[in-house]
Amino acid sequence: MSTLPRAFTWLLQGLLYALFVGVLALFSQWPPYHHLGKDDALLKLSIVHLGERLHACVEPSAEELAKLPPTMRAPRRCPRERAPLAIEIDLDGQPLLRQTARPGGLSRDGSASMYERRVVAAGQHHIAVRMRDSARSEGFDHQRESSVNLRPAQILVIDFDSAKREITIR
């Protein structure tokens, strides 16, 4: 049998629960957390894209096909490796981001993915986005320029629409 009266244990348990709830309430309001500064906006780059093949497909001649076993006589041979994605973003004529993403997969034949976020000042800005997804060494395959007016705490997302093959800024 317990040495403490039953009412006292219930009261002590209630006080401990109240203390626990009070600590939770305190830390849910304090210290204050601000996702962004008062006059800041957020620019997010979020791209998952399958680059072009690094090498062109080859059609072997009839003699070459005849030398192969019947199970390996494909009319076309396409190397699997894909080109990396190269992204450049300029904000008001100044470089904001320069990055390259390698394709995924063991054979480098998967999609390349890129996720970056940058805090920028709210207000009027000119954004230039350039992306290369081919084997070329210079220049870009896709470009988009836009003037935007960012409000404080606004999030601007830069993406690539693979179906339309264009960079989106929204």
Side-chain angles (χ1 to χ4, degrees):
M1 195 108 201
S2 172
T3 58
L4 294 176
R6 189 168 179 83
F8 181 71
T9 59
W10 281 98
L11 180 64
L12 185 60
Q13 187 176 4
L15 287 173
L16 289 174
Y17 281 131
L19 178 66
F20 178 70
V21 169
V23 169
L24 284 179
L26 173 70
F27 285 119
S28 70
Q29 299 296 318
W30 175 85
Y33 173 74
H34 301 287
H35 180 65
L36 294 171
K38 191 170 108 177
D39 294 326
D40 289 336
L42 189 62
L43 187 127
K44 285 187 180 183
L45 169 73
S46 176
I47 293 179
V48 177
H49 178 62
L50 189 63
E52 294 179 8
R53 294 185 188 276
L54 276 181
H55 306 286
C57 294
V58 177
E59 295 185 17
S61 66
E63 294 85 32
E64 291 172 331
L65 286 175
K67 292 178 186 176
L68 295 172
T71 57
M72 296 185 68
R73 294 180 185 166
R76 286 180 84 184
R77 290 203 187 128
C78 297
R80 296 172 61 171
E81 190 174 3
R82 300 285 182 159
L85 293 184
I87 301 281
E88 290 187 1
I89 299 176
D90 294 341
L91 184 68
D92 299 326
Q94 300 297 317
L96 181 68
L97 179 72
R98 304 283 189 264
Q99 191 166 342
T100 302
R102 309 295 284 152
L106 293 175
S107 300
R108 299 278 181 218
D109 60 345
S111 297
S113 59
M114 206 178 289
Y115 179 80
E116 288 290 326
R117 37 180 289 157
R118 301 292 161 103
V119 176
V120 297
Q124 188 71 26
H125 294 287
H126 182 77
I127 297 175
V129 183
R130 295 174 294 280
M131 183 176 92
R132 178 175 47 249
D133 64 350
S134 66
R136 70 183 351 186
S137 60
E138 292 185 17
F140 294 93
D141 302 307
H142 310 281
Q143 298 184 25
R144 174 87 188 259
E145 292 191 27
S146 181
S147 291
V148 294
N149 186 18
L150 297 174
R151 298 180 311 275
Q154 181 179 353
I155 299 173
L156 182 74
V157 179
I158 299 172
D159 195 3
F160 185 78
D161 186 344
S162 295
K164 295 180 181 177
R165 301 215 28 93
E166 67 181 16
I167 296 169
T168 60
I169 300 174
R170 49 183 171 182

